[in-house]
């Protein structure tokens, strides 16, 4: 049987954890991140651009990681393109070739903007911290610009159907890019 002092300490600990969980919810942070001490953002240096929506980074503590830009999907450059993933793009050799060209352009644009640069990785409060292939999922901020949003707004990427806070803004930018037939949305005529 535990003594009164131990019982009070246990109650204080339970209340403290409860307050921490409530505070996390009010701040919009995932409870598991608060409990694990995971930061809401991290500074990093881009060491390589894998393709238009994936980069390799070196974190401030010297470790390296692969980052998948949250909420966006650029056409593939290392494997076959998938026209069916891009609304209105014909599943034809011309559609595939157009997507491949846009994917290559997206990769080059991201490489030009980010390779060797300092960025801030911001984590979304409703999205998973890691996605498929164990890549970090993050908004990549460079010189106060969201590269994720920029990719969608310029037509280099489509919105990746997933749950994330910025989704409504990204879908609006995608609609504008489609209406202007820029980037991937120029491939609808292929």
């Amino acid at each position: 049987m535990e003594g009164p002092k131990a019982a009070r300490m246990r109650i204080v600990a339970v209340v403290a954890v409860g307050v921490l969980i409530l505070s996390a919810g009010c701040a919009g942070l995932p409870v598991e991140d608060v409990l694990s001490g995971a930061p809401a953002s991290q500074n990093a240096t881009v060491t390589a651009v894998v393709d238009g929506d994936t980069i390799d980074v070196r974190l401030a503590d010297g470790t390296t990681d692969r980052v998948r830009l949250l909420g966006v999907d650029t056409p593939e450059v290392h494997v076959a393109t998938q026209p069916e993933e891009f609304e209105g793009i014909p599943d034809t050799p011309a559609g595939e070739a157009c997507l491949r060209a846009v994917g290559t352009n997206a990769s080059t644009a991201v490489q030009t903007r980010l390779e060797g640069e300092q960025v801030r990785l911001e984590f979304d409060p409703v999205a998973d911290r890691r996605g498929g292939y164990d890549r970090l999922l993050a908004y990549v901020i460079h010189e106060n610009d969201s590269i994720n949003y920029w990719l969608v707004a310029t037509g280099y990427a489509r919105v990746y159907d997933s749950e994330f806070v910025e989704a409504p803004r990204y879908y609006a930018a995608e609609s504008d890019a489609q209406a202007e037939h820029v980037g991937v949305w120029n491939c609808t005529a292929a």
Side-chain angles (χ1 to χ4, degrees):
M1 180 168 194
E2 77 183 25
K5 185 175 181 180
R8 278 194 305 274
M9 293 300 290
R10 192 163 43 93
I11 290 169
V12 168
V14 168
V15 169
V17 169
V19 168
L20 183 63
I21 290 170
L22 278 173
S23 298
C26 292
L29 300 173
V31 171
E32 62 275 5
D33 288 351
V34 172
L35 294 177
S36 71
S41 68
Q42 287 185 297
N43 292 327
T45 302
V46 177
T47 59
V49 173
V50 177
D51 60 25
D53 56 35
T54 307
I55 61 174
D56 289 335
V57 298
R58 185 176 50 256
L59 301 171
D61 66 3
T63 61
T64 59
D65 216 328
R66 183 155 284 180
V67 178
R68 174 72 158 78
L69 279 68
L70 179 66
V72 303
D73 184 31
T74 60
E76 299 296 336
V77 293
H78 300 295
V79 297
T81 59
Q82 305 292 322
E84 64 274 6
E85 292 181 356
F86 292 84
E87 182 182 326
I89 309 302
D91 193 359
T92 63
E96 290 176 16
C98 185
L99 283 177
R100 174 75 62 188
V102 173
T104 299
N105 291 342
S107 297
T108 300
V110 171
Q111 185 174 27
T112 299
R113 283 193 77 172
L114 295 184
E115 196 158 49
E117 295 290 317
Q118 295 290 315
V119 297
R120 188 174 69 253
L121 307 177
E122 292 186 354
F123 303 104
D124 191 274
V126 299
D128 291 332
R129 181 62 66 109
R130 290 198 178 267
Y133 309 105
D134 198 37
R135 298 175 292 189
L136 282 174
L137 297 175
Y139 301 109
V140 176
I141 310 301
H142 178 252
E143 296 178 350
N144 293 321
D145 289 329
S146 168
I147 299 303
N148 311 45
Y149 180 81
W150 172 77
L151 285 166
V152 172
T154 56
Y156 283 124
R158 70 177 180 95
V159 177
Y160 187 80
D161 294 325
S162 60
E163 204 174 317
F164 61 104
V165 169
E166 291 287 323
R169 188 167 83 101
Y170 281 38
Y171 280 116
E174 181 182 75
S175 289
D176 291 346
Q178 286 173 325
E180 295 170 15
H181 297 286
V182 295
V184 298
W185 311 116
N186 190 42
C187 296
T188 56

